[in-house]
Amino acid sequence: MFRKGLLIVFSGPSGAGKGTLLKSVTTINKNIGFSVSATTRSPREGEVNGKNYFFISVDQFKSMIENNMLVEWVEYCGNYYGTPRKYVEDTLEAGIDVILEIEVEGAANIIKQYPDCVPIFVLPPSFEELRKRIEGRGTEKQDVIEKRLERAKKEMNYIKNYKYVVINDDIERAANDMNCILRSEKLKIKHNTNILKDLGIDIGRENNVND
Ligand code: 5GP
């Protein structure tokens, strides 16, 4: 009864509350792997190397690109960010779901490579609330805050690439929405073809109603 893991792509503007939401989702769903990205950005206070990110130099990042070690990468607000390939491929192959928390251009790249992935966009309840959250975090200088807000506006145009939208106005409700999405994705016929095969049911290529 083997089923490959789901690749969940999770995006949304900086300050939408993606981190908190993901923490809540991975606390409830123990069988989800969280892909740790590589970045050339400096660690924020409290961030741990290997847990939040692999904090590496520009040279190290470029060498990862050259050696095809990243599934996707982007330059975002002056820094490089990328998803290490090995963890994603090994984890999905082992039947474990993987979440990528990445920005919209990287997500578009992943959606092309993995058309069966589950792209989810998280939105703040309003733009004013977004500004409040980024300023309230107190981790960025004013010019970086403005850059991130500008970028947030642009990112929202990419929402059409995604299958689901979650509005993060209330963390409990938003986490519940996320769990509903994951549960219903797992129940899709296309994600259960191996199980159906074990039961002697071959759907061939005809099941095209649920992507
Ligand atoms: P932050 O600097 O706030 O941690 O992240 C900035 C943005 O980069 C966020 O939107 C985050 O989702 C995105 N990001 C983090 N890791 C990756 C990655 O590996 N690839 C891409 N494309 N975006 C990433």
Side-chain angles (χ1 to χ4, degrees), residues 11-15 18 72-79 81 102-108 121 123 127 130-131 134 143-159 162:
S11 309
S14 177
K18 286 171 292 182
E72 63 73 38
W73 64 273
V74 286
E75 196 180 344
Y76 177 96
C77 295
N79 292 302
Y81 294 82
I102 59 178
E103 56 66 65
V104 293
E105 285 170 27
F121 199 92
L123 279 176
F127 206 73
L130 188 67
R131 176 181 283 278
I134 299 183
D143 61 325
V144 178
I145 292 175
E146 294 308 326
K147 245 191 197 171
R148 286 189 174 232
L149 284 169
E150 243 347 274
R151 173 91 190 192
K153 276 187 194 156
K154 283 194 193 132
E155 283 183 339
M156 291 185 195
N157 293 326
Y158 282 75
I159 204 161
Y162 291 73

Side-chain angles (χ1 to χ4, degrees), residues 40 56-67 80:
T40 58
I56 61 176
S57 68
V58 173
D59 282 348
Q60 285 171 317
F61 197 96
K62 287 187 174 162
S63 141
M64 286 185 87
I65 297 173
E66 276 159 25
N67 291 304
Y80 290 112

Side-chain angles (χ1 to χ4, degrees), residues 47 66 75 88 96 109 172 177:
E47 283 186 330
E66 276 159 25
E75 196 180 344
V88 172
I96 298 168
N109 192 341
E172 230 170 81
D177 284 351

